[in-house]
Amino acid sequence: MTSSSSETTNAQSLRNSLTQRAAELEATLNKLLPRMKGGEANLIEAMRYAVLGGGKRLRGYLVTEVASLFNVPVTRALYVGASVEMLHAYSLIHDDLPAMDDDDLRRGKPSTHKQFGEAIAILAGDALQTKAFEILAMEETHESTKIRIELVKALAEASGSTGMVGGQVIDMEGENKHLTLPEVLNLHAMKTGRLICYSAEAGAILGQASHELHNHIISYGRDLGTAFQIADDVLDATASAEELGKTAGKDTAAGKSTFVSLLGINDAKKEADRLVAKAIRHLEPFGDAADNLRALAEYVVYRKN
Amino acid sequence: MTSSSSETTNAQSLRNSLTQRAAELEATLNKLLPRMKGGEANLIEAMRYAVLGGGKRLRGYLVTEVASLFNVPVTRALYVGASVEMLHAYSLIHDDLPAMDDDDLRRGKPSTHKQFGEAIAILAGDALQTKAFEILAMEETHESTKIRIELVKALAEASGSTGMVGGQVIDMEGENKHLTLPEVLNLHAMKTGRLICYSAEAGAILGQASHELHNHIISYGRDLGTAFQIADDVLDATASAEELGKTAGKDTAAGKSTFVSLLGINDAKKEADRLVAKAIRHLEPFGDAADNLRALAEYVVYRKN
């Protein structure tokens, strides 16, 4: 990719927007998960540990930024953004468990089960999933029950057995097996892509987008999700644990087929570039208002962690 | 308790009703969790293994039987009943994990992680929770989005960090500590009671019950839940594993404070009797239509497993 001065301006604008929104998401998460005094205090601490103070907030940002295209009040979009960040945090807690990826490090800190023990980690993940749905059902999220139900449905479909969790199983069962490129694409569309796509879609649901614009947003989310995963594979193969804030080289160690193992690093990067360009084309109907989302597509591929 | 002939008739009627409803719930669960061919087939098998073919279906029965007081079509109530059975099954899978209760036996069969491995068991529990919410959001469950949202809210509150999962944490952290009776009451109101109470409440939500009748049903559910847990403690202390279909004497082995350890078996039984009578009094406004729910309150205490 060439780096023109307009790209630099957009990247700068995105950086500011991401930083501000991350702070707003943090405040929203903090409000939605208040500390408690009772016997469940430790559970709440573990939930807060897993979801507060870290991460790129890519999913939460997507919700709010797409919602802003449709003039949705930001407080509402922040609730839905906080909900998807909780859902994402639950998946990371369970992913890191000894019975799963057995990972001691997450976002540069001990993973939740290293900090709180396995039992609390399992339950904190469970309760974060519940809370994600609870928030979508709250009146504060949207006055219309129809919209809240659409959000619940979309999140459930993106994260359950035919979405994220189904993808995790396919990923696990693919270890030490050769997968084809279409199989790897499907795996990641489920495991990571569906929740990223949901995040964009949730903004369109909140905004009561027309059928046509809704589809544009979904297409953007889908290409972004795949580009994100290819970039993740490239990072896993090339970056250090220090840069990543999590264990590096995991996929190779686990004998997994990845975009990098199938395409090589150069062609994987080219495919990511192609998807970024495609994602950006889906944003045409939104004009300048979508500049941050355009820059986000580029950021997702050129990030360092 | 004395056993009059009218009690016998009611108990007989309940047995028939439970058997029929359990079959209908089984068919509904089977329909909602169809076998799949893809890489996630094994996940779906584990979900089906955990939720199909066993259990008393107490929670699903409660939903449908309360709903019938308000003339709710049985197919709708069965969806909500299937949803709560999935939620319950998820909690049992995670409860049985090595990091939690480490239990090899459930409903007379190997527990899910013994049959499918820990990773799949964790994910099957996760996906069953998601599915429980997904079903509540389906149009088939109720045409009104307002009612569907109320169900989602009520299930989330009953099962999350301030309900079932919170109770599990309090239970775990109470091992080898002396808890007082109010503490044990609170623990079980959260850990088991809230989901049983939700099951009754869900029937009232589906039935769009008046505020007054809604409260009667919640009071019934609350007393029933506590009576159920006391009876569980009595069974854990007196029945064999063969009778229970799960490991017996677990609470004593874990050094837990229970109703039996605090009150002794006789007084624990008396307290259960008192709660059954109280639960039944809350059903007065419903006349004969609530006879099965009355018999259920007695069954819950006099069951053998």
Side-chain angles (χ1 to χ4, degrees):
Chain A
M1 295 287 294
T2 58
S3 171
S4 72
S5 67
S6 93
E7 266 175 8
T8 311
T9 314
N10 286 346
Q12 182 63 47
S13 156
L14 172 68
R15 201 190 328 275
N16 293 340
S17 177
L18 268 171
T19 306
Q20 192 197 324
R21 211 62 58 72
E24 290 166 354
L25 282 163
E26 189 81 4
T28 308
L29 287 162
N30 187 49
K31 186 174 77 178
L32 289 166
L33 278 176
R35 287 208 159 83
M36 293 191 65
K37 287 222 164 155
E40 66 271 41
N42 203 27
L43 174 71
I44 310 281
E45 282 308 315
M47 293 165 75
R48 291 172 56 90
Y49 179 84
V51 79
L52 289 173
K56 294 176 287 294
R57 305 293 183 212
L58 170 65
R59 292 158 192 78
Y61 184 76
L62 263 174
V63 176
T64 57
E65 200 56 28
V66 171
S68 78
L69 295 177
F70 303 96
N71 303 310
V72 174
V74 70
T75 48
R76 289 199 164 149
L78 283 169
Y79 273 75
V80 179
S83 158
V84 73
E85 289 293 338
M86 287 187 192
L87 200 296
H88 179 54
Y90 122 66
S91 79
L92 297 182
I93 300 177
H94 285 189
D95 249 7
D96 286 341
L97 287 168
M100 309 269 293
D101 283 358
D102 193 12
D103 215 318
D104 294 354
L105 197 62
R106 171 67 65 182
R107 293 173 178 166
K109 301 186 299 182
S111 47
T112 307
H113 67 274
K114 292 305 282 184
Q115 191 74 11
F116 290 86
E118 270 187 66
I120 292 284
I122 293 167
L123 293 169
D126 290 345
L128 279 169
Q129 178 178 184
T130 317
K131 195 82 189 170
F133 285 106
E134 187 176 347
I135 291 166
L136 295 183
M138 284 165 46
E139 210 171 334
E140 292 87 333
T141 297
H142 203 284
E143 82 261 34
S144 154
T145 56
K146 184 169 165 289
I147 284 179
R148 281 183 266 161
I149 276 294
E150 271 186 64
L151 290 167
V152 169
K153 263 192 198 173
L155 180 60
E157 284 166 17
S159 69
S161 54
T162 54
M164 179 186 80
V165 171
Q168 285 171 310
V169 170
I170 297 178
D171 191 26
M172 267 169 32
E173 303 199 338
E175 285 179 18
N176 303 313
K177 256 192 259 181
H178 178 79
L179 302 185
T180 63
L181 188 59
E183 284 171 332
V184 169
L185 276 167
N186 174 58
L187 185 175
H188 290 302
M190 290 174 71
K191 189 185 171 196
T192 322
R194 288 291 301 273
L195 200 63
I196 290 178
C197 189
Y198 158 82
S199 304
E201 188 188 3
I205 293 174
L206 276 173
Q208 302 180 258
S210 69
H211 188 66
E212 197 201 329
L213 292 184
H214 192 111
N215 284 344
H216 274 268
I217 291 297
I218 286 183
S219 300
Y220 166 79
R222 199 173 291 141
D223 290 335
L224 183 75
T226 309
F228 177 87
Q229 187 56 47
I230 297 177
D232 229 43
D233 282 1
V234 171
L235 280 169
D236 187 73
T238 57
S240 69
E242 201 184 335
E243 286 170 304
L244 288 179
K246 60 184 179 185
T247 311
K250 271 161 57 175
D251 294 340
T252 314
K256 284 183 186 176
S257 303
T258 68
F259 290 107
V260 170
S261 75
L262 287 164
L263 296 172
I265 287 189
N266 277 347
D267 280 7
K269 282 182 173 173
K270 269 190 211 158
E271 178 61 8
D273 283 352
R274 192 186 68 84
L275 286 164
V276 167
K278 196 158 153 267
I280 288 174
R281 278 200 300 278
H282 296 302
L283 297 173
E284 231 159 67
F286 303 101
D288 295 350
D291 274 351
N292 280 336
L293 289 172
R294 290 186 184 92
L296 184 70
E298 300 193 334
Y299 162 76
V300 149
V301 168
Y302 303 118
R303 67 202 155 93
K304 296 275 172 278
N305 61 54
Chain B
M1 296 288 294
T2 57
S3 169
S4 72
S5 67
S6 93
E7 268 175 5
T8 312
T9 315
N10 286 345
Q12 182 63 49
S13 157
L14 173 68
R15 201 190 328 274
N16 293 340
S17 178
L18 269 171
T19 306
Q20 192 197 322
R21 211 63 58 74
E24 289 167 355
L25 282 164
E26 188 80 5
T28 308
L29 287 162
N30 187 49
K31 187 173 74 178
L32 289 166
L33 279 175
R35 286 208 162 85
M36 292 190 65
K37 288 224 163 155
E40 66 271 42
N42 202 27
L43 174 72
I44 310 281
E45 282 308 315
M47 294 166 75
R48 291 172 56 90
Y49 179 84
V51 78
L52 289 174
K56 294 176 286 295
R57 305 291 184 212
L58 170 66
R59 293 159 192 79
Y61 184 75
L62 263 173
V63 176
T64 57
E65 199 59 26
V66 171
S68 79
L69 295 177
F70 302 96
N71 303 310
V72 174
V74 70
T75 46
R76 288 195 165 152
L78 282 169
Y79 274 74
V80 179
S83 158
V84 73
E85 290 292 339
M86 286 185 192
L87 199 298
H88 179 53
Y90 122 65
S91 78
L92 298 182
I93 299 177
H94 285 190
D95 250 7
D96 287 342
L97 287 168
M100 308 270 292
D101 284 359
D102 193 13
D103 215 320
D104 294 355
L105 197 63
R106 172 65 67 181
R107 293 173 178 168
K109 300 187 298 184
S111 45
T112 307
H113 68 274
K114 292 305 282 184
Q115 192 74 13
F116 290 86
E118 270 187 66
I120 292 284
I122 293 167
L123 293 169
D126 290 344
L128 280 168
Q129 177 177 188
T130 317
K131 195 83 189 169
F133 285 106
E134 187 177 348
I135 291 166
L136 295 183
M138 284 165 44
E139 209 170 336
E140 293 87 332
T141 296
H142 204 284
E143 82 261 34
S144 154
T145 55
K146 185 169 166 289
I147 285 179
R148 281 182 266 161
I149 275 293
E150 273 187 60
L151 290 167
V152 170
K153 264 193 198 173
L155 180 60
E157 284 167 15
S159 69
S161 55
T162 55
M164 179 186 81
V165 170
Q168 285 172 309
V169 171
I170 298 178
D171 192 27
M172 267 168 33
E173 302 200 336
E175 285 180 18
N176 304 312
K177 256 192 260 180
H178 178 79
L179 301 185
T180 63
L181 188 58
E183 285 173 330
V184 170
L185 276 166
N186 174 57
L187 184 174
H188 289 302
M190 289 172 72
K191 189 186 173 196
T192 323
R194 288 290 302 273
L195 200 62
I196 290 178
C197 189
Y198 158 81
S199 305
E201 189 189 2
I205 293 173
L206 277 173
Q208 302 181 258
S210 69
H211 189 64
E212 197 201 329
L213 292 184
H214 192 111
N215 284 343
H216 274 269
I217 291 297
I218 285 184
S219 301
Y220 166 79
R222 200 173 290 142
D223 290 335
L224 183 76
T226 309
F228 177 87
Q229 186 55 48
I230 298 177
D232 229 41
D233 282 0
V234 171
L235 279 169
D236 187 72
T238 58
S240 68
E242 201 184 334
E243 284 170 306
L244 290 179
K246 60 183 177 186
T247 311
K250 270 163 55 175
D251 295 339
T252 314
K256 283 184 187 176
S257 303
T258 68
F259 291 107
V260 170
S261 75
L262 288 164
L263 297 171
I265 286 189
N266 276 348
D267 280 9
K269 282 183 173 172
K270 269 188 208 159
E271 178 60 10
D273 282 353
R274 191 184 71 81
L275 286 164
V276 167
K278 196 157 153 269
I280 288 174
R281 278 200 301 277
H282 296 302
L283 297 173
E284 230 159 67
F286 302 101
D288 295 349
D291 275 351
N292 280 336
L293 290 172
R294 291 184 183 92
L296 183 70
E298 301 193 333
Y299 161 76
V300 150
V301 169
Y302 305 120
R303 68 202 155 93
K304 296 275 173 278
N305 61 55

